[in-house]
Amino acid sequence: MSNKYKKSTNRRINIKERIDIKTKIKKLLIISLLLIVILTLTNCGRPFYVPGASMGYFLWQTEDGNYHLYWSNDWDRNASNDNLRKFSGSIRTDGVITIKNLYLWEGEELTKDIENVDIIKVEPSRVEFIAYTTNHDYEDGIDFSIDNETYVEFNLKNNDIYDLGRISLGSFANSPDEEIFIISEDELLYEAKKPFYLKHPFSTFFFKLSYDRVFTNIYLLLMGIIVVELIRVSILLKSKNYKKLIYISYGILFLILIIVNIILLTK
Amino acid sequence: MTKLLKGILKRIITSEIFEDSKNRVSFYKYLLIGLFLRFLFIPFFFQIDILSSYTRAAGQLFETIPETPAVIQLVMHWLHVFFLKIVVQIIPNLKTILSIPEPHPQWLAFISNNQVFRMLSVIKFPYFIFDLACAFLLLRFTKDARTNLKVFKHWMINPIVIFVTYIFARFDVIPLFITLLALYFAMKDKKYISIFLLVISIVMRFFPVLILPFLIIYLAKNKKDYIIFSLLGISGLLALEIGSRLISGSSALFKLLNSQHFTFLIALKWGMEGLHVSLIPLVIFFTLTIISFFEISNKSFSDLLKYSLIAFLLWFSFGYYHPQYLLWAIPFLIFQFIEKDKIFYYHLLQILIIPFILLYWGQLVTSYLFTPIDSRYFVYFPDIVDIIRKYYTPSKFANIFSSIFSGVSIWIIYEVYKLSKIKSNLVFNTKK
């Protein structure tokens, strides 16, 4: 009899342990998925881009003060001339520029057979460059530092035209407003360190929600009622304090709505 | 007042569910989960086709862009004109956006508009109504309340229903509702209404034509019935043809036969070496399915659903399809889940494969779906097809998954066929 009792108790403990492990695994999976999504979308440190799949300029600064200006072309099988794209521009400052590294640069001194060589002209306060990407060479970049600068001015062209949407400053899709744009000291570092909700795509998403307050209120109210009702039917219905808990749930919902509206009004 | 409300509720959710507290709670729970999932996607996701439908409607309503829709889309076009007439009162700036003549600038203006969430919620709302109508209609097919609830649950949480109607935002749910209504009346032995409704749905979206032969065979009791139902069946298309010739002076049917919709069904061909002859697998298997259904001596409503499902699955196995067309198989599949759990798991496998097949359409069905959230971010977001291309040919990659999808679909056909050979455990609300 006692053996049977022990066995059944052990089985119950085993089942409980298994359920606990399952719940833990589920929680871990959800948290890691959320982290991956947030990290992918916001990407700490440098703008998110995939060489050969993203097209445009990507500019960022690292903690050591170095600047990194990279450009990438998206692969296109049907494009003519091996998808040749010209990235050209200049960097101007009141400080002194030191080139640290030319990333995947196909200069004259490196390869003599190349038709469209990448060219860079370096002066103490000015850098000019012309570089080409193709389906086979889809990324180039310049790593540089500047001493004693108060500003840095960039003039970046994509196939000889300005395409501001394809310039990311510090974080992906944070584009300049003017064709020739100025970066102040540590501006890129500040952009990279911004919390995720102030970066794209969350910043635009929250802006649109705050712009259309009528929609946001109706939407939040509807979703809130659905969630509270789901909790009511699934959990609260079995509770002894059913009525109390219902009032609390709806109270919380309306409190959230009030807080959201205060935030929207103060913005 | 409460009595009236209770009466209405009882009518909507059926008395078997309303009068049993356990069933009522389950129904309410599934409805809430379904609504939550739908509302999660309605305002934030979108694909350019819905904008084209409303642009054509705006052209009609405000005489902005003089574009005539294809004849086969006429019914859906007029429905959109009707929807737009109502919704434009709520969002007046929609009219300005819909009058932009070029599709690309129009798309950019729409996704970057600060009221895009409101606009998307409103223009998708008619689809939401028909989606719910499908769900409530599905509650009425069997005599067992628990079974009806399971059917309802599977519809409310099905990822394909949610994807097609709210993320991909296509109108297929409207003709699908009419098709379901046709099946409901077939179940009730209201033959003429049933055929008439199916004809309407064919005129709306063409693809329910796949189940027309099965419906005729199911409803017909004698030769006379066969002739009348067949004539009725093609009457819609004939009316369309006559109407088209009268209005535009050109043929609608021949346009249809030369259109993409028909090519989708007959694209795959088995060529014969050295001869200008080829066999079309879909037509071969479709014919076999019709004969097989015809040969069943006591055809039940359950058989009609099974063979209709086989017809759609054959299309997805041997034809070409756009993602939204997958919705057509869902109501038929749901009934099979209840008869055999295994089929549900195979359907889950299909759902897991679908994202890979979507790669065929590139950014249109991946990053561009998110553009209302942040147009700049998602327009410039790297194309997943380009990322795959770095390692493997994307079309081959998608083709492998498409073939796996076909394999799973054919296996489901086999399982459903096996089920049709035994007595169904579903008791339908038939009058037979």
Side-chain angles (χ1 to χ4, degrees), chain B residues 160-189:
Chain B
I160 292 178
V161 175
I162 292 162
F163 176 78
V164 171
T165 316
Y166 303 104
I167 301 176
F168 209 66
R170 295 303 285 140
F171 57 69
D172 288 68
V173 76
I174 301 173
L176 180 64
F177 170 71
I178 308 294
T179 307
L180 284 179
L181 215 53
L183 289 168
Y184 179 79
F185 282 111
M187 181 180 74
K188 292 285 179 195
D189 213 26

mmCIF file of all heavy atoms in Angstrom, chain B residues 160-189:
data_model
loop_
_atom_site.group_PDB
_atom_site.id
_atom_site.type_symbol
_atom_site.label_atom_id
_atom_site.label_comp_id
_atom_site.label_asym_id
_atom_site.label_seq_id
_atom_site.Cartn_x
_atom_site.Cartn_y
_atom_site.Cartn_z
ATOM 1 N N ILE B 160 -4.106 30.823 -41.722
ATOM 2 C CA ILE B 160 -4.303 31.174 -43.144
ATOM 3 C C ILE B 160 -5.459 32.170 -43.275
ATOM 4 O O ILE B 160 -5.372 33.142 -44.030
ATOM 5 C CB ILE B 160 -4.530 29.907 -44.002
ATOM 6 C CG1 ILE B 160 -3.236 29.101 -44.032
ATOM 7 C CG2 ILE B 160 -4.976 30.266 -45.424
ATOM 8 C CD1 ILE B 160 -3.293 27.805 -44.787
ATOM 9 N N VAL B 161 -6.530 31.942 -42.504
ATOM 10 C CA VAL B 161 -7.673 32.871 -42.536
ATOM 11 C C VAL B 161 -7.189 34.262 -42.138
ATOM 12 O O VAL B 161 -7.500 35.265 -42.805
ATOM 13 C CB VAL B 161 -8.793 32.389 -41.571
ATOM 14 C CG1 VAL B 161 -9.919 33.413 -41.511
ATOM 15 C CG2 VAL B 161 -9.327 31.026 -41.994
ATOM 16 N N ILE B 162 -6.420 34.316 -41.067
ATOM 17 C CA ILE B 162 -5.948 35.615 -40.552
ATOM 18 C C ILE B 162 -4.954 36.250 -41.525
ATOM 19 O O ILE B 162 -5.033 37.437 -41.814
ATOM 20 C CB ILE B 162 -5.356 35.436 -39.136
ATOM 21 C CG1 ILE B 162 -6.502 35.077 -38.182
ATOM 22 C CG2 ILE B 162 -4.668 36.713 -38.660
ATOM 23 C CD1 ILE B 162 -6.081 34.471 -36.887
ATOM 24 N N PHE B 163 -4.062 35.458 -42.056
ATOM 25 C CA PHE B 163 -3.058 35.996 -42.984
ATOM 26 C C PHE B 163 -3.728 36.558 -44.251
ATOM 27 O O PHE B 163 -3.479 37.695 -44.638
ATOM 28 C CB PHE B 163 -2.035 34.914 -43.359
ATOM 29 C CG PHE B 163 -1.042 35.378 -44.387
ATOM 30 C CD1 PHE B 163 0.018 36.188 -44.010
ATOM 31 C CD2 PHE B 163 -1.178 35.039 -45.722
ATOM 32 C CE1 PHE B 163 0.927 36.651 -44.957
ATOM 33 C CE2 PHE B 163 -0.282 35.494 -46.677
ATOM 34 C CZ PHE B 163 0.782 36.297 -46.285
ATOM 35 N N VAL B 164 -4.565 35.735 -44.867
ATOM 36 C CA VAL B 164 -5.163 36.139 -46.146
ATOM 37 C C VAL B 164 -6.072 37.361 -45.980
ATOM 38 O O VAL B 164 -6.025 38.301 -46.766
ATOM 39 C CB VAL B 164 -5.955 34.963 -46.773
ATOM 40 C CG1 VAL B 164 -6.750 35.415 -47.981
ATOM 41 C CG2 VAL B 164 -5.006 33.839 -47.168
ATOM 42 N N THR B 165 -6.873 37.365 -44.911
ATOM 43 C CA THR B 165 -7.877 38.418 -44.775
ATOM 44 C C THR B 165 -7.326 39.695 -44.149
ATOM 45 O O THR B 165 -7.763 40.788 -44.511
ATOM 46 C CB THR B 165 -9.066 37.895 -43.942
ATOM 47 O OG1 THR B 165 -9.383 36.579 -44.392
ATOM 48 C CG2 THR B 165 -10.283 38.770 -44.089
ATOM 49 N N TYR B 166 -6.383 39.573 -43.225
ATOM 50 C CA TYR B 166 -5.963 40.771 -42.487
ATOM 51 C C TYR B 166 -4.523 41.195 -42.737
ATOM 52 O O TYR B 166 -4.214 42.372 -42.640
ATOM 53 C CB TYR B 166 -6.207 40.568 -40.990
ATOM 54 C CG TYR B 166 -7.651 40.258 -40.747
ATOM 55 C CD1 TYR B 166 -8.073 38.962 -40.461
ATOM 56 C CD2 TYR B 166 -8.608 41.253 -40.874
ATOM 57 C CE1 TYR B 166 -9.412 38.682 -40.293
ATOM 58 C CE2 TYR B 166 -9.947 40.975 -40.709
ATOM 59 C CZ TYR B 166 -10.345 39.689 -40.420
ATOM 60 O OH TYR B 166 -11.666 39.416 -40.271
ATOM 61 N N ILE B 167 -3.638 40.256 -43.047
ATOM 62 C CA ILE B 167 -2.250 40.644 -43.310
ATOM 63 C C ILE B 167 -2.079 40.874 -44.815
ATOM 64 O O ILE B 167 -1.654 41.921 -45.250
ATOM 65 C CB ILE B 167 -1.260 39.586 -42.773
ATOM 66 C CG1 ILE B 167 -1.456 39.413 -41.262
ATOM 67 C CG2 ILE B 167 0.173 39.989 -43.099
ATOM 68 C CD1 ILE B 167 -0.616 38.349 -40.619
ATOM 69 N N PHE B 168 -2.475 39.881 -45.584
ATOM 70 C CA PHE B 168 -2.404 40.004 -47.041
ATOM 71 C C PHE B 168 -3.561 40.866 -47.564
ATOM 72 O O PHE B 168 -3.497 41.413 -48.661
ATOM 73 C CB PHE B 168 -2.431 38.608 -47.662
ATOM 74 C CG PHE B 168 -1.716 38.513 -48.963
ATOM 75 C CD1 PHE B 168 -0.346 38.678 -49.027
ATOM 76 C CD2 PHE B 168 -2.404 38.284 -50.132
ATOM 77 C CE1 PHE B 168 0.323 38.608 -50.236
ATOM 78 C CE2 PHE B 168 -1.751 38.200 -51.347
ATOM 79 C CZ PHE B 168 -0.385 38.372 -51.406
ATOM 80 N N ALA B 169 -4.616 40.922 -46.757
ATOM 81 C CA ALA B 169 -5.770 41.807 -47.011
ATOM 82 C C ALA B 169 -6.419 41.613 -48.382
ATOM 83 O O ALA B 169 -6.588 42.561 -49.149
ATOM 84 C CB ALA B 169 -5.366 43.261 -46.816
ATOM 85 N N ARG B 170 -6.809 40.400 -48.692
ATOM 86 C CA ARG B 170 -7.514 40.136 -49.944
ATOM 87 C C ARG B 170 -8.978 39.820 -49.651
ATOM 88 O O ARG B 170 -9.332 39.381 -48.561
ATOM 89 C CB ARG B 170 -6.863 38.991 -50.728
ATOM 90 C CG ARG B 170 -5.490 39.295 -51.203
ATOM 91 C CD ARG B 170 -5.413 40.552 -52.068
ATOM 92 N NE ARG B 170 -5.931 40.338 -53.409
ATOM 93 C CZ ARG B 170 -6.680 41.230 -54.057
ATOM 94 N NH1 ARG B 170 -7.041 42.358 -53.482
ATOM 95 N NH2 ARG B 170 -7.097 40.985 -55.279
ATOM 96 N N PHE B 171 -9.811 39.994 -50.683
ATOM 97 C CA PHE B 171 -11.258 39.912 -50.464
ATOM 98 C C PHE B 171 -11.845 38.509 -50.625
ATOM 99 O O PHE B 171 -13.055 38.342 -50.654
ATOM 100 C CB PHE B 171 -11.977 40.887 -51.411
ATOM 101 C CG PHE B 171 -11.674 40.667 -52.870
ATOM 102 C CD1 PHE B 171 -12.132 39.549 -53.541
ATOM 103 C CD2 PHE B 171 -10.914 41.591 -53.583
ATOM 104 C CE1 PHE B 171 -11.860 39.344 -54.874
ATOM 105 C CE2 PHE B 171 -10.624 41.400 -54.927
ATOM 106 C CZ PHE B 171 -11.107 40.258 -55.572
ATOM 107 N N ASP B 172 -11.015 37.492 -50.733
ATOM 108 C CA ASP B 172 -11.504 36.139 -50.995
ATOM 109 C C ASP B 172 -12.550 35.653 -50.002
ATOM 110 O O ASP B 172 -13.358 34.774 -50.306
ATOM 111 C CB ASP B 172 -10.339 35.133 -51.032
ATOM 112 C CG ASP B 172 -9.513 35.300 -52.282
ATOM 113 O OD1 ASP B 172 -8.856 36.342 -52.404
ATOM 114 O OD2 ASP B 172 -9.563 34.403 -53.150
ATOM 115 N N VAL B 173 -12.518 36.226 -48.795
ATOM 116 C CA VAL B 173 -13.459 35.773 -47.771
ATOM 117 C C VAL B 173 -14.911 36.106 -48.164
ATOM 118 O O VAL B 173 -15.840 35.421 -47.726
ATOM 119 C CB VAL B 173 -13.058 36.371 -46.396
ATOM 120 C CG1 VAL B 173 -13.417 37.833 -46.270
ATOM 121 C CG2 VAL B 173 -13.623 35.566 -45.250
ATOM 122 N N ILE B 174 -15.095 37.100 -49.030
ATOM 123 C CA ILE B 174 -16.463 37.473 -49.435
ATOM 124 C C ILE B 174 -17.073 36.386 -50.347
ATOM 125 O O ILE B 174 -18.116 35.820 -50.005
ATOM 126 C CB ILE B 174 -16.511 38.877 -50.090
ATOM 127 C CG1 ILE B 174 -15.972 39.915 -49.090
ATOM 128 C CG2 ILE B 174 -17.918 39.236 -50.533
ATOM 129 C CD1 ILE B 174 -15.795 41.310 -49.657
ATOM 130 N N PRO B 175 -16.424 36.064 -51.490
ATOM 131 C CA PRO B 175 -16.993 34.966 -52.291
ATOM 132 C C PRO B 175 -16.993 33.630 -51.543
ATOM 133 O O PRO B 175 -17.862 32.789 -51.793
ATOM 134 C CB PRO B 175 -16.093 34.893 -53.523
ATOM 135 C CG PRO B 175 -14.908 35.719 -53.227
ATOM 136 C CD PRO B 175 -15.280 36.703 -52.188
ATOM 137 N N LEU B 176 -16.030 33.460 -50.617
ATOM 138 C CA LEU B 176 -16.006 32.214 -49.849
ATOM 139 C C LEU B 176 -17.262 32.103 -48.982
ATOM 140 O O LEU B 176 -17.842 31.021 -48.854
ATOM 141 C CB LEU B 176 -14.745 32.150 -48.965
ATOM 142 C CG LEU B 176 -14.612 30.896 -48.119
ATOM 143 C CD1 LEU B 176 -14.475 29.646 -48.984
ATOM 144 C CD2 LEU B 176 -13.403 30.970 -47.191
ATOM 145 N N PHE B 177 -17.699 33.221 -48.424
ATOM 146 C CA PHE B 177 -18.919 33.209 -47.619
ATOM 147 C C PHE B 177 -20.117 32.784 -48.488
ATOM 148 O O PHE B 177 -20.944 31.974 -48.069
ATOM 149 C CB PHE B 177 -19.171 34.593 -47.000
ATOM 150 C CG PHE B 177 -20.520 34.723 -46.372
ATOM 151 C CD1 PHE B 177 -20.814 34.050 -45.183
ATOM 152 C CD2 PHE B 177 -21.524 35.482 -46.963
ATOM 153 C CE1 PHE B 177 -22.077 34.137 -44.606
ATOM 154 C CE2 PHE B 177 -22.785 35.577 -46.387
ATOM 155 C CZ PHE B 177 -23.061 34.902 -45.212
ATOM 156 N N ILE B 178 -20.176 33.318 -49.708
ATOM 157 C CA ILE B 178 -21.284 32.962 -50.613
ATOM 158 C C ILE B 178 -21.210 31.463 -50.946
ATOM 159 O O ILE B 178 -22.225 30.771 -50.996
ATOM 160 C CB ILE B 178 -21.246 33.816 -51.912
ATOM 161 C CG1 ILE B 178 -21.163 35.312 -51.586
ATOM 162 C CG2 ILE B 178 -22.450 33.530 -52.811
ATOM 163 C CD1 ILE B 178 -22.366 35.911 -50.896
ATOM 164 N N THR B 179 -19.991 30.948 -51.126
ATOM 165 C CA THR B 179 -19.810 29.519 -51.406
ATOM 166 C C THR B 179 -20.302 28.684 -50.214
ATOM 167 O O THR B 179 -20.981 27.659 -50.392
ATOM 168 C CB THR B 179 -18.324 29.213 -51.699
ATOM 169 O OG1 THR B 179 -17.880 30.086 -52.717
ATOM 170 C CG2 THR B 179 -18.112 27.778 -52.122
ATOM 171 N N LEU B 180 -19.942 29.129 -49.016
ATOM 172 C CA LEU B 180 -20.374 28.400 -47.812
ATOM 173 C C LEU B 180 -21.893 28.428 -47.680
ATOM 174 O O LEU B 180 -22.515 27.436 -47.284
ATOM 175 C CB LEU B 180 -19.742 29.007 -46.555
ATOM 176 C CG LEU B 180 -18.278 28.689 -46.310
ATOM 177 C CD1 LEU B 180 -17.780 29.380 -45.059
ATOM 178 C CD2 LEU B 180 -18.077 27.184 -46.165
ATOM 179 N N LEU B 181 -22.463 29.567 -48.053
ATOM 180 C CA LEU B 181 -23.918 29.700 -48.017
ATOM 181 C C LEU B 181 -24.541 28.709 -49.011
ATOM 182 O O LEU B 181 -25.555 28.059 -48.707
ATOM 183 C CB LEU B 181 -24.289 31.139 -48.395
ATOM 184 C CG LEU B 181 -25.488 31.779 -47.727
ATOM 185 C CD1 LEU B 181 -25.418 31.691 -46.214
ATOM 186 C CD2 LEU B 181 -25.594 33.247 -48.135
ATOM 187 N N ALA B 182 -23.905 28.579 -50.176
ATOM 188 C CA ALA B 182 -24.384 27.628 -51.189
ATOM 189 C C ALA B 182 -24.340 26.209 -50.627
ATOM 190 O O ALA B 182 -25.288 25.427 -50.800
ATOM 191 C CB ALA B 182 -23.518 27.727 -52.444
ATOM 192 N N LEU B 183 -23.267 25.890 -49.916
ATOM 193 C CA LEU B 183 -23.131 24.554 -49.330
ATOM 194 C C LEU B 183 -24.165 24.349 -48.223
ATOM 195 O O LEU B 183 -24.722 23.256 -48.062
ATOM 196 C CB LEU B 183 -21.720 24.357 -48.772
ATOM 197 C CG LEU B 183 -20.629 24.218 -49.830
ATOM 198 C CD1 LEU B 183 -19.252 24.317 -49.198
ATOM 199 C CD2 LEU B 183 -20.764 22.901 -50.574
ATOM 200 N N TYR B 184 -24.420 25.404 -47.449
ATOM 201 C CA TYR B 184 -25.400 25.320 -46.364
ATOM 202 C C TYR B 184 -26.775 24.990 -46.944
ATOM 203 O O TYR B 184 -27.477 24.099 -46.441
ATOM 204 C CB TYR B 184 -25.436 26.654 -45.602
ATOM 205 C CG TYR B 184 -26.444 26.671 -44.481
ATOM 206 C CD1 TYR B 184 -26.165 26.054 -43.266
ATOM 207 C CD2 TYR B 184 -27.671 27.306 -44.641
ATOM 208 C CE1 TYR B 184 -27.091 26.058 -42.234
ATOM 209 C CE2 TYR B 184 -28.607 27.320 -43.623
ATOM 210 C CZ TYR B 184 -28.315 26.697 -42.416
ATOM 211 O OH TYR B 184 -29.240 26.699 -41.409
ATOM 212 N N PHE B 185 -27.139 25.668 -48.042
ATOM 213 C CA PHE B 185 -28.452 25.398 -48.642
ATOM 214 C C PHE B 185 -28.473 24.036 -49.323
ATOM 215 O O PHE B 185 -29.521 23.395 -49.371
ATOM 216 C CB PHE B 185 -28.833 26.522 -49.609
ATOM 217 C CG PHE B 185 -29.324 27.752 -48.879
ATOM 218 C CD1 PHE B 185 -28.594 28.918 -48.859
ATOM 219 C CD2 PHE B 185 -30.520 27.711 -48.161
ATOM 220 C CE1 PHE B 185 -29.032 30.034 -48.160
ATOM 221 C CE2 PHE B 185 -30.970 28.819 -47.461
ATOM 222 C CZ PHE B 185 -30.233 29.983 -47.457
ATOM 223 N N ALA B 186 -27.317 23.597 -49.818
ATOM 224 C CA ALA B 186 -27.250 22.245 -50.393
ATOM 225 C C ALA B 186 -27.510 21.228 -49.291
ATOM 226 O O ALA B 186 -28.221 20.228 -49.491
ATOM 227 C CB ALA B 186 -25.877 22.022 -51.010
ATOM 228 N N MET B 187 -26.949 21.505 -48.120
ATOM 229 C CA MET B 187 -27.150 20.611 -46.967
ATOM 230 C C MET B 187 -28.632 20.566 -46.587
ATOM 231 O O MET B 187 -29.168 19.525 -46.217
ATOM 232 C CB MET B 187 -26.311 21.133 -45.795
ATOM 233 C CG MET B 187 -26.370 20.313 -44.533
ATOM 234 S SD MET B 187 -25.333 21.050 -43.271
ATOM 235 C CE MET B 187 -26.305 22.466 -42.784
ATOM 236 N N LYS B 188 -29.294 21.705 -46.720
ATOM 237 C CA LYS B 188 -30.720 21.808 -46.373
ATOM 238 C C LYS B 188 -31.614 21.360 -47.530
ATOM 239 O O LYS B 188 -32.843 21.523 -47.480
ATOM 240 C CB LYS B 188 -31.063 23.253 -46.000
ATOM 241 C CG LYS B 188 -30.425 23.733 -44.715
ATOM 242 C CD LYS B 188 -31.126 23.139 -43.521
ATOM 243 C CE LYS B 188 -30.491 23.577 -42.223
ATOM 244 N NZ LYS B 188 -30.919 22.763 -41.099
ATOM 245 N N ASP B 189 -30.984 20.857 -48.589
ATOM 246 C CA ASP B 189 -31.684 20.377 -49.779
ATOM 247 C C ASP B 189 -32.434 21.483 -50.530
ATOM 248 O O ASP B 189 -33.431 21.212 -51.207
ATOM 249 C CB ASP B 189 -32.640 19.239 -49.401
ATOM 250 C CG ASP B 189 -32.756 18.237 -50.531
ATOM 251 O OD1 ASP B 189 -31.801 18.138 -51.326
ATOM 252 O OD2 ASP B 189 -33.797 17.579 -50.640
#
